[in-house]
Amino acid sequence: MEEVHRAPENEVLAPLIERARLAPDERERIEHRALGLLAELREGQRTGWVNQFLQEYRLNTSEGVALLSLAEAFLRVPDADTADKLIADKIGEGNWRSHAGKSHSGMVNSATWGLVIGRALVGEKTTANALRRLISRTGEPFVRQAVGAAMRLMGEIFVMGRTIDEALKRMKRPENKGFTASFDMLGEAARTFPDADRYFESYMRAIQAVGAARTEGSTEVNHSISVKLSALHPRYEVAQWGRCVPELTDRLEALAEAAAKAQIGLTVDAEESERLEMSLDIIEHVAEMPKFAGWNGFGMAIQAYGKRCQRTIGWAEALAERTNRYIPVRLVKGAYWDSEIKHAQEKGLRHYPLFTRKVNTDTCYLACAKDMLEAKMIRPAFATHNALTAATIMEWAPDPKSFEFQRLHGMGEGLFEDLVREQGYRCRIYAPVGGHRDLLAYLVRRLLENGANSSFVHQLADEHLSDADLLRDPVERCAEVGGTRHPSIPLPEDLFMPQRKNSEGLDLDDWRVLNRVTEGIVERGDIGDPPAQPKDVNALIEKAGKGYAKWSLLPVEERAARIARLGELLEEHRGELMALAVHEANKTIPDALAEIREAIDFCRYYAAEAREKLQPLEMPGPTGETNVLRMEGKGVWCCISPWNFPLAIFTGQVAAALVTGNAVIAKPAPQTPRIAAAAVRLAHVAGIPEDALLLAPGGPKIGAALTGDPRIAGVAFTGSTGTAKAIAKSLLEDDDRPIVPLIAETGGINAMIVDSTALPEQVVADAVASAFGSAGQRCSALRLLLIQKDVAEKMIEMLKGAMATLQVGQPENPASDVGPVIDQASYDKLMSYRETMADRILATCDVPEQGLYVPPTLIRLDSAEDLTAEWFGPILHVATWKSGKLEQTVARINAKGFGLTMGLHSRIARAGEIVEMHARVGNLYVNRTMTGAVVGSQPFGGEGLSGTGPKAGGPHYLPRFCAERVTTIDTTSAGGNATLLSLEEAGMGI
């Protein structure tokens, strides 16, 4: 499978196209059959008011997106104030009147008028009318109750039942006659071990209930259960393979044993591509257990959008033959397409693990369907709402009993009813079971899949598409473009083109890659002696001054080329540099990789910026005069970098100063001089003269000697606020010294605000990553979590549970989430603070006895004001805020004087606007983590006590390193302005 995992799309598809291609007579029969199915599907879509509603409010309308957002968040909001704000936010700005009377369904039209009235009630622009005055007394509770009822109704449509017993009862209704179900107990990935325990018990109860309801002695296919492995373990990750795979195997074995005893089917659901091989390992272990010999109900789902789909089917067939048992295989098109694309782009991977065109996925699906139908030991199940796909499978499988179709509950009605009840085909309904609050993530995912512009369900509702358009052969369409990648989805390396190439990442979700990287880091454990400190700072500055005189005369294109070359060398020496980051700076392996990638990105970004923005600029002026603005180096810069980003920030400062024509004396933090020395060596290899870039390792005395020297033309510093202030003061002490620019980036008391519309699972994941990643040793790390009081206790409990899953250990161990802090002084300071707050600690983690391991710690505060200092380690403080006080809460954070990063988790767009308007921070992150700023995407830097700006990795950074010089030449002084004198009057001869 490895060879196709990230192979070019066209290479993977070439054999699949031939496998799926139809003969002309086949195509004719399939199209004829598909036309009949299309008519039935359309009729089914017309009969249900829900289908009509979804067609009217599709995802390509702002109103459709608003309703989807409302459905996703409303039922988890416990307080009336926030619920009203959410309703106003999603309904208040929609153009609902444009949908009035447009649907074929009277119920949909009635619902639309309800939305029109609702907008009138909540819309901000109607404050003066009588309807708005009425709402002040009775309207808001009425609208809130109506929306709540509508959301619960939507839950009933898309969820088979709130409990397994309710779902089994509903399957007996007339509309489900002839169909079987695969019950999916709602719940996305577990975040805590108690979550995983609850999901396990939920699956076990469902197996027992379905088994008890099974018709004794029946030869018919019975209901089954679908299981998500990610719901059974909170750390279902490749880096945790040794821990989670054995535990998940035990849990799946217990569920399989119960299902076999109950004589029902159990299917392992498909998940994100990075989990595929772990899933196969677990499935294989269970399938090969002798106790399950003769039980043919243990199956799996496979996603056709993955490039490894066909290989996975081959793997399943081989497993079935080896164990001499039938394996049910559900073929689906895929559920995580958009997130997989983003993940690959963020990680800088060479190729995507999936197909980027819908027709490419359809082609793979058909080729794999043919493989499954021909496999002797596979029992095929085809999940589809596509009439053409269904018709093709029916053409290839003349025996209706040799396979089954599957569809999602609440979608695709009309396609299979006649096939099941009149023609003997089998169809299983994938039926989610759970409370309406649990529906939210599932509902959004399903509607996004089926509402996407390329989906068959979406296209079916498009009146501009003919039957011929809908039934175009996807294999031929795929062949027409040669199976190539979608032109609007660039490869990860081309994400920032044409300006620059993205830094290449490593697929640490591939266990082979992770093992190779880990072995290389362990082998490079001897990092040698640190570089010697300079004995004579004066001589260092003199040498740099001479280097500046030569380096500054090079054309900007040449300087940029050498800085770009440094980026290439950093990438070539990635393994060596990652080892240094791990062993010298205590970086975990993913953090070490991110460190090197950021350094590479800085080089490429600043080189590209210099080429574009440092060219001489001709300015306007009167005739007979030229005015040219030039951006040139100022002299010798001192760049002082921190230990927490010993390569990325070090390289970013140096590259910016050099590419603008300055010479640089670079002083790394005393804790991490080796990785800085390695970067300087590579810079010299890249063509940076040794007298234009000099290394000055050492402590505060070296730094003070450099910044205090009047020959230093500028200082770039990243570190503590106190040190930045001391540097700023020293630059002003000598009255005879020129005014020297200081670029300072310091720390912050970074807060994340969470309201009751936020998804708790997402908040917890982002808070843990932001607070405890890199052992909390990022200037952007989350220090203060402020949760709306109405939901605080539940969220804190989930946060405590997520912390309990963290692994603290040696940074070279790929299973370690949190490594040691940088040095003894940091350790002592943080541990002493923990002791003073011992009675307020809500949660902490076990750590190794030996080493500088500060336990990840959660501390409760009475208010946001209780946190007055930045604690630079894995310590997170939590407090609450009251509903309706968002603006005031932002003001309280601003009052601390820091302004680096801030986070917000909310589903209310207006909340984001309020925070954006009032927050005084350099970087605001909404509904995501607060760390990991990307060069060129999220320029980084703060204000107030958090820095001076300009922002590193942004378009305004380089000019700060430059002297702006203008040359004006009066051309009339040399005998007059010949150009002006030679002008002729338009249209007139001599």
Side-chain angles (χ1 to χ4, degrees), residues 556-850:
V556 64
E557 290 84 358
E558 179 61 28
R559 298 197 303 265
R562 299 187 190 189
I563 294 298
R565 175 60 182 150
L566 172 58
E568 300 301 318
L569 289 171
L570 291 172
E571 198 160 77
E572 291 173 19
H573 291 261
R574 179 174 53 199
E576 168 196 344
L577 295 170
M578 284 181 66
L580 280 169
V582 170
H583 294 301
E584 185 176 52
N586 291 338
K587 295 266 182 179
T588 60
I589 292 174
D591 284 345
L593 175 59
E595 174 93 9
I596 280 70
R597 290 191 64 211
E598 186 175 0
I600 296 164
D601 286 336
F602 271 132
C603 291
R604 291 173 177 167
Y605 179 76
Y606 290 144
E609 285 283 295
R611 292 188 189 103
E612 178 185 353
K613 296 179 178 177
L614 299 188
Q615 301 296 338
L617 180 64
E618 189 169 340
M619 309 297 289
T623 185
E625 181 177 285
T626 62
N627 301 281
V628 178
L629 171 66
R630 292 170 290 111
M631 307 289 284
E632 298 180 348
K634 296 174 69 72
V636 179
W637 274 69
C638 175
C639 294
I640 303 175
S641 56
W643 49 260
N644 63 328
F645 284 94
L647 181 69
I649 292 179
F650 177 90
T651 304
Q653 292 175 343
V654 167
L658 286 171
V659 80
T660 47
N662 300 285
V664 175
I665 300 175
K667 195 204 87 63
Q671 296 92 335
T672 54
R674 296 171 183 83
I675 194 167
V680 169
R681 285 196 300 272
L682 293 176
H684 293 157
V685 173
I688 311 298
E690 293 188 5
D691 56 359
L693 173 59
L694 298 95
L695 184 68
K701 288 185 179 180
I702 296 288
L706 287 168
T707 59
D709 195 293
R711 292 168 292 179
I712 294 296
V715 177
F717 169 80
T718 301
S720 72
T721 304
T723 303
K725 286 184 174 182
I727 292 172
K729 184 177 180 180
S730 72
L731 297 178
L732 298 173
E733 286 178 344
D734 186 346
D735 290 341
D736 296 326
R737 184 177 186 176
I739 298 173
V740 175
L742 168 65
I743 302 172
E745 182 207 309
T746 56
I749 300 180
N750 310 309
M752 177 189 287
I753 303 171
V754 179
D755 74 13
S756 61
T757 69
L759 184 65
E761 292 82 359
Q762 184 183 2
V763 171
V764 167
D766 291 346
V768 167
S770 300
F772 305 124
S774 303
Q777 298 173 122
R778 293 177 182 243
C779 50
S780 58
L782 172 62
R783 309 296 180 197
L784 176 60
L785 181 63
L786 295 171
I787 307 174
Q788 186 178 323
K789 190 173 183 179
D790 306 87
V791 294
E793 293 311 312
K794 180 181 178 183
M795 215 168 278
I796 289 171
E797 281 305 306
M798 186 178 289
L799 179 59
K800 290 160 63 176
M803 288 176 62
T805 72
L806 292 174
Q807 295 273 79
V808 182
Q810 295 179 335
E812 64 267 29
N813 181 351
S816 294
D817 302 302
V818 181
V821 296
I822 189 65
D823 58 20
Q824 189 70 47
S826 293
Y827 176 83
D828 292 342
K829 182 179 181 180
L830 292 166
M831 294 301 286
S832 176
Y833 174 68
R834 288 181 80 254
E835 287 181 17
T836 66
M837 303 296 286
D839 60 335
R840 291 185 169 271
I841 292 177
L842 296 177
T844 188
C845 301
D846 294 332
V847 299
E849 293 182 3
Q850 301 297 320

Side-chain angles (χ1 to χ4, degrees), residues 87-401:
I87 294 168
D89 189 71
K90 303 308 177 190
I91 295 181
E93 298 300 320
N95 185 15
W96 307 104
R97 191 175 293 275
S98 66
H99 296 269
K102 296 293 182 66
S103 176
H104 299 294
S105 167
M107 194 166 183
V108 172
N109 289 331
S110 297
T112 297
W113 278 113
L115 290 166
V116 171
I117 294 171
R119 187 197 185 284
L121 292 173
V122 302
E124 294 180 0
K125 298 177 182 178
T126 61
T127 53
N129 64 28
L131 200 56
R132 184 66 185 177
R133 288 194 297 273
L134 175 64
I135 193 176
S136 66
R137 297 191 299 272
T138 61
E140 284 178 357
F142 172 76
V143 172
R144 191 186 317 128
Q145 290 166 13
V147 169
M151 295 301 104
R152 290 180 178 86
L153 179 60
M154 188 173 287
E156 290 175 9
I157 296 299
F158 291 102
V159 174
M160 185 62 76
R162 287 166 295 183
T163 65
I164 187 63
D165 292 330
E166 190 176 293
L168 283 165
K169 184 178 179 181
R170 189 170 178 182
M171 273 302 297
K172 296 178 181 179
R173 292 182 181 178
E175 64 265 26
N176 295 321
K177 181 181 178 182
F179 289 81
T180 53
S182 182
F183 296 109
D184 169 32
M185 310 311 293
L186 276 180
E188 298 297 301
R191 297 294 181 194
T192 69
F193 285 110
D195 281 346
D197 291 341
R198 283 192 293 272
Y199 287 137
F200 176 79
E201 292 302 324
S202 174
Y203 285 133
M204 190 62 79
R205 285 195 302 271
I207 290 170
Q208 291 165 352
V210 172
R214 181 177 179 274
T215 305
E216 289 296 333
S218 172
T219 58
E220 295 181 4
V221 177
N222 284 277
H223 302 316
S224 60
I225 297 292
S226 291
V227 173
K228 284 187 178 67
L229 294 179
S230 58
L232 297 175
H233 200 288
R235 301 303 306 275
Y236 186 32
E237 307 157 26
V238 170
Q240 304 288 329
W241 188 302
R243 173 190 187 189
C244 73
V245 167
E247 293 175 11
L248 277 168
T249 301
D250 290 344
R251 292 210 145 179
L252 186 60
E253 176 189 356
L255 294 175
E257 193 166 12
K261 183 179 179 181
Q263 299 182 52
I264 65 169
L266 182 72
T267 300
V268 179
D269 259 339
E271 306 206 46
E272 295 89 343
S273 64
E274 64 262 25
R275 291 168 167 161
L276 175 61
E277 293 195 62
M278 283 194 297
S279 295
L280 299 185
D281 197 27
I282 294 164
I283 291 168
E284 183 177 48
H285 274 91
V286 174
E288 290 182 339
M289 292 178 178
K291 69 171 75 173
F292 299 126
W295 176 51
N296 296 312
F298 185 56
M300 61 186 292
I302 301 175
Q303 302 187 106
Y305 71 19
K307 292 176 179 175
R308 294 174 290 180
C309 180
Q310 189 178 47
R311 304 295 178 94
T312 306
I313 289 168
W315 176 93
E317 184 178 9
L319 177 64
E321 292 174 350
R322 191 167 65 251
T323 57
N324 192 32
R325 53 195 296 277
Y326 291 97
I327 293 184
V329 174
R330 174 197 298 149
L331 185 64
V332 301
K333 293 195 175 174
Y336 305 95
W337 185 84
D338 53 337
S339 58
E340 299 260 22
I341 293 286
K342 183 181 181 184
H343 180 78
Q345 290 179 345
E346 288 175 335
K347 299 301 181 185
L349 304 177
R350 289 193 174 182
H351 287 279
Y352 298 106
L354 43 75
F355 302 114
T356 57
R357 294 182 194 257
K358 183 65 164 59
V359 293
N360 293 358
T361 292
D362 288 344
T363 297
C364 178
Y365 189 97
L366 292 171
C368 292
K370 183 175 281 189
D371 287 354
M372 289 168 60
L373 288 167
E374 294 178 2
K376 295 180 180 178
M377 302 297 287
I378 282 179
R379 288 183 170 170
F382 302 108
T384 183
H385 300 149
N386 187 312
L388 184 62
T389 301
T392 305
I393 291 168
M394 292 164 70
E395 169 71 20
W396 288 343
D399 180 4
K401 301 293 186 184

Side-chain angles (χ1 to χ4, degrees), residues 931-948:
T931 56
V934 176
V935 173
S937 290
Q938 297 124 13
F940 188 77
E943 57 190 76
L945 293 173
S946 296
T948 64

